[in-house]
Amino acid sequence: MSVIEGVNTMQTNATTGAGLGYEVSRAEAQISSALGLSDDFSASTATTGRVMVGGSVSGTIEATGDNDWIAVNLVAGSRYTLNLKGASSGSGTLADPVIDSIRDASGNSLLGGYADDGGTGYDSLLSFTPTTSGTFYVVARSVNNTGTGTYILTASTPTGSADDFSADVATTGRVAVGGSRTGVLEASGDTDWIGVNLTAGSRYTFNLKGASSGVGTLNDPVIDSIRDASGNTLPNSSADDGGMGLDSLLSFTPTTSGMFYVVARSYGSDTGSYVLSADAATTTPPISTTAATLSIAASSAYQSEGNSGSTPFTFTVTRTGTSTGAASAAWAVTGSGPNPANGTDFVGGALPSGTVNFAAGQTTATVTVNVSGDLTAETDDGFTIALSNPVGATLGTSTVATTLNQSASGGVGVTQNDYILAGAGGAFTVNYNNYSIPDQVDVSVNGQKIVGTAGQVSNTGTLTIPTSTALRAGDVVSVIMTGTDSGTAWDYTANYTGGAQLANYIASGTIINDDQGSVTPPSSGRIIGTSANDTLQGTTGNDVVDGLGGVDTFVCSGNRASYTVNRSFGGYTITGPEGVDTLTNVERIRFADSKLGLDVSGNLGSVVKLLGAVFGAASVGRADFVGIGLNYMDNGMSYASLGALALNAAGKSTPTDIVNLLWFNVVGSPASAAQAQPYVAMLNNGMSSGDLVVLAADTAINQANIGLVGLEQTGVAYI
């Protein structure tokens, strides 16, 4: 049981069970739901509230009965001060904040963990000395669970709390080779120096372990550096990860003998306990180090980002060869391609990284990076995920060769192959063949696009990295194929005279923008509209355009005669001086001298069907008539209202005249009295003239008269 020193505390009837807390949590959820409120911190161990020792966190009691649980990592034997502040100290609006309890990692309430007052005015103050290390939860509420408002919770170590190991050569921390030493990072920013005697020329392994290996509470321990006897930092002496989970592993060979200092810290501002072990490295590596190979490939890495939350992009890491023993490798994401992704594209606001681990006998593992959904129109962004620092394995590359052949086919997506150059100064060429359906080919060096096709092409060609780009051994050359239509098929041959390896420890992903707003890349690419009526300008290359919702217009710079418009699956292609553009959800095309309507299933279709019924099939060829009708419907006039307006323009107002006009234009002959009588009766009995026009316009015979199917292929001119 933890020892809790109460400051102006009161005894409560809390027990070591979680029952009361979970009852509060349920009540809180019900209250928040009833009031339509969003709770900042939940009343359970799933809370997102967290405070660091030496820091503070702000929160809100949104409703009467609300309880906020706030996590804090504490170290056994250290004394802490918890101060819950509100209106009394000007730190919030909560009139009388109360520390309801302190709970362990399982959510159990600890006896005596209660404080009401003790700080400034009605602020609450509590001193707490845990006997175990780990995560605890401070429960904040209002007195009697009746008030609402904001508060600040601070966690600190009282003046005089001892640091176990100092951050200098005077440290008392010592570890022997073959042994281990336990330490504690007591506060945010703390670093511990631990001395160790080493022999020149011998290789040593230092393993800084925390929560991942279950020997401490420090979440992400980092070997910051190794220092010499004078405290100077030695090169290549840091390690973040490489051990189990987030533990850090470092191999080090000193050039001199004597005292060295291993500097331990946390990644970020976490606190907690750790264990540092020091071992003489064996001269013979484990069997798995040379026999096992790790490679990575995309599983689901070409996806839309989504509008909110997150979308997981997954990669499969495969261990080939022996699977005896454990293995691991670090992985990290970097932006790549013409539009590199950055930290804002991912959950957490930073480019993701981590460690992939294999247990004995395990041959595959999954790495997942979470892309943040948003409503921002942007380019499709590329990224690369690469393995590094393998333990118990090597990284996979193909055999060095002067000619590398790759052949593949597939649907919509991006395929990227990365080659590591074996020598400098060679010539790198790509001979590609894109069959039938246009695809785009790009070649980059170290993530920077160097050459590529002028947008999407459906032909055979060659791309050569110019001699102005000096190629060096170790450079990564990427060949990126982008297909945008189902049935796409391509192959290529990549040749580098200086020798190259296909890097199997590198994989790529593409974050597809799916948001509203017009995006015009600097060269050919994707242009996205909004849910409103958009005017979209193409580029000088081949564009893929999606207007999304609304009535959208695609603008071409030349006259109509300079372009060919063809119906394609899901939309239209337009070929002209700007290239070959693919249009989806685009309703209009505007040329320099005319306009073309494409939405035969939308407003355009309604207009031409009405024209056929009221003015005859030939009127569909009147660009002025089509333009007038589109103007009305695009601005909100209904189908039936436009039909009534067309009748007025035709000078027909009596039921008999209206029926005779529609019958003649649709059927092609005058209506007899018997044929007209049912429709005249409809009008006399309350049917509007506009509704009758719609009835006639939508008939199959009228649609055949105006050639509606053919119009869907060609579009309809209007002014």
Side-chain angles (χ1 to χ4, degrees):
M1 180 176 296
S2 298
V3 178
I4 301 179
E5 301 164 334
V7 180
N8 206 11
T9 64
M10 298 174 58
Q11 184 66 39
T12 71
N13 61 358
T15 67
T16 56
L20 177 61
Y22 292 118
E23 288 297 325
V24 170
S25 179
R26 282 195 291 270
E28 171 185 343
Q30 292 169 355
I31 293 167
S32 295
S33 177
L35 297 176
L37 300 173
S38 178
D39 191 19
D40 54 349
F41 304 139
S42 66
S44 71
T45 57
T47 180
T48 59
R50 178 169 292 275
V51 64
M52 302 296 181
V53 175
S56 63
V57 64
S58 300
T60 304
I61 303 298
E62 291 91 351
T64 56
D66 184 19
N67 280 218
D68 288 355
W69 289 32
I70 301 168
V72 58
N73 286 326
L74 305 178
V75 177
S78 296
R79 185 163 61 94
Y80 301 90
T81 297
L82 304 170
N83 194 352
L84 187 63
K85 300 181 287 185
S88 295
S89 57
S91 303
T93 60
L94 189 61
D96 193 351
V98 174
I99 298 177
D100 175 87
S101 58
I102 294 181
R103 298 182 179 252
D104 63 18
S106 299
N108 300 311
S109 177
L110 301 174
L111 289 173
Y114 172 91
D116 183 13
D117 305 334
T120 301
Y122 292 106
D123 293 350
S124 292
L125 191 69
L126 182 70
S127 290
F128 177 39
T129 304
T131 58
T132 59
S133 298
T135 300
F136 294 80
Y137 298 90
V138 182
V139 180
R141 64 172 173 85
S142 172
V143 68
N144 299 322
N145 280 312
T146 57
T148 60
T150 58
Y151 62 84
I152 292 176
L153 174 67
T154 65
S156 60
T157 52
T159 302
S161 293
D163 184 15
D164 55 352
F165 306 134
S166 63
D168 52 37
V169 296
T171 179
T172 59
R174 292 290 187 271
V175 64
V177 175
S180 62
R181 186 62 185 262
T182 300
V184 177
L185 299 180
E186 292 87 1
S188 176
D190 184 23
T191 58
D192 288 354
W193 289 33
I194 301 172
V196 58
N197 277 307
L198 304 178
T199 302
S202 297
R203 188 163 62 95
Y204 300 90
T205 299
F206 297 101
N207 195 351
L208 188 62
K209 299 176 284 187
S212 294
S213 54
V215 299
T217 61
L218 190 60
N219 182 54
D220 192 353
V222 176
I223 298 176
D224 178 87
S225 57
I226 293 180
R227 310 283 182 121
D228 63 19
S230 300
N232 300 309
T233 300
L234 300 176
N236 303 314
S237 65
S238 63
D240 183 15
D241 305 332
M244 180 176 293
L246 297 177
D247 293 349
S248 290
L249 190 68
L250 176 69
S251 288
F252 177 72
T253 304
T255 57
T256 59
S257 299
M259 179 65 71
F260 295 82
Y261 299 92
V262 181
V263 180
R265 65 173 177 85
S266 170
Y267 182 87
S269 54
D270 280 347
T271 59
S273 58
Y274 62 84
V275 173
L276 174 68
S277 63
D279 297 287
T282 58
T283 56
T284 303
I287 294 177
S288 61
T289 300
T290 56
T293 300
L294 302 181
S295 60
I296 188 170
S299 302
S300 58
Y302 184 87
Q303 302 183 84
S304 298
E305 61 192 354
N307 294 330
S308 62
S310 62
T311 300
F313 283 53
T314 59
F315 299 82
T316 299
V317 182
T318 301
R319 177 167 61 165
T320 57
T322 182
S323 59
T324 303
S328 65
W331 60 267
V333 170
T334 57
S336 62
N339 302 300
N342 57 47
T344 62
D345 292 309
F346 298 91
V347 173
L351 292 171
S353 61
T355 302
V356 58
N357 295 290
F358 290 83
Q362 182 181 354
T363 57
T364 61
T366 299
V367 172
T368 300
V369 296
N370 292 304
V371 170
S372 297
D374 59 42
L375 294 172
T376 302
E378 55 195 334
T379 58
D380 294 345
D381 295 334
F383 66 89
T384 296
I385 182 169
L387 304 179
S388 64
N389 299 324
V391 177
T394 59
L395 299 180
T397 56
S398 70
T399 304
V400 175
T402 56
T403 301
L404 301 164
N405 294 287
Q406 290 289 312
S407 181
S409 64
V412 177
V414 175
T415 301
Q416 177 173 330
N417 291 310
D418 301 288
Y419 303 95
I420 299 178
L421 305 187
F428 195 105
T429 60
V430 175
N431 297 308
Y432 63 86
N433 192 4
N434 295 340
Y435 301 102
S436 301
I437 298 177
D439 301 296
Q440 184 168 328
V441 191
D442 294 308
V443 182
S444 68
V445 178
N446 300 326
Q448 181 66 43
K449 179 179 175 180
I450 303 300
V451 292
T453 57
Q456 295 178 309
V457 297
S458 55
N459 56 23
T460 299
T462 299
L463 295 173
T464 301
I465 296 178
T467 55
S468 58
T469 301
L471 298 177
R472 303 159 299 179
D475 282 347
V476 177
V477 178
S478 303
V479 180
I480 306 168
M481 307 291 298
T482 305
T484 61
D485 205 339
S486 60
T488 185
W490 51 263
D491 60 54
Y492 71 80
T493 300
N495 180 77
Y496 180 62
T497 57
Q501 295 175 307
L502 179 63
N504 297 322
Y505 62 88
I506 302 174
S508 62
T510 300
I511 305 169
I512 303 173
N513 174 71
D514 57 5
D515 297 312
Q516 301 177 0
S518 179
V519 176
T520 304
S523 58
S524 61
R526 299 177 73 246
I527 302 173
I528 309 298
T530 74
S531 60
N533 301 340
D534 301 309
T535 299
L536 305 172
Q537 180 73 54
T539 71
T540 57
N542 301 337
D543 300 311
V544 178
V545 183
D546 189 342
L548 296 182
V551 178
D552 305 309
T553 301
F554 183 71
V555 179
C556 298
S557 60
N559 292 335
R560 175 67 179 90
S562 301
Y563 299 84
T564 301
V565 179
N566 292 305
R567 181 72 170 156
S568 62
F569 180 78
Y572 292 83
T573 59
I574 177 169
T575 304
E578 293 91 353
V580 181
D581 300 319
T582 302
L583 310 182
T584 304
N585 297 317
V586 173
E587 289 72 30
R588 311 278 192 269
I589 301 175
R590 187 174 74 211
F591 304 98
D593 60 347
S594 62
K595 301 173 184 177
L596 188 69
L598 305 176
D599 55 323
V600 176
S601 61
N603 287 353
L604 176 69
S606 297
V607 169
V608 295
K609 287 186 291 183
L610 287 177
L611 289 176
V614 177
F615 298 104
S619 66
V620 174
R622 291 282 302 270
D624 54 342
F625 281 19
V626 178
I628 292 170
L630 283 177
N631 182 63
Y632 280 118
M633 293 205 71
D634 288 348
N635 285 282
M637 180 173 285
S638 70
Y639 192 4
S641 295
L642 182 61
L645 184 66
L647 284 176
N648 290 334
K652 306 299 181 182
S653 58
T654 69
T656 301
D657 288 344
I658 293 172
V659 172
N660 286 334
L661 174 71
L662 297 175
W663 188 279
F664 183 85
N665 286 328
V666 172
V667 179
S669 62
S672 67
Q675 292 170 327
Q677 192 276 329
Y679 301 101
V680 171
M682 290 180 185
L683 293 173
N684 287 328
N685 290 324
M687 175 182 275
S688 72
S689 61
D691 287 336
L692 185 62
V693 172
V694 170
L695 184 66
D698 285 342
T699 60
I701 189 171
N702 182 60
Q703 295 180 36
N705 290 340
I706 65 174
L708 191 67
V709 174
L711 297 178
E712 189 172 15
Q713 303 300 314
T714 63
V716 180
Y718 72 99
I719 57 176

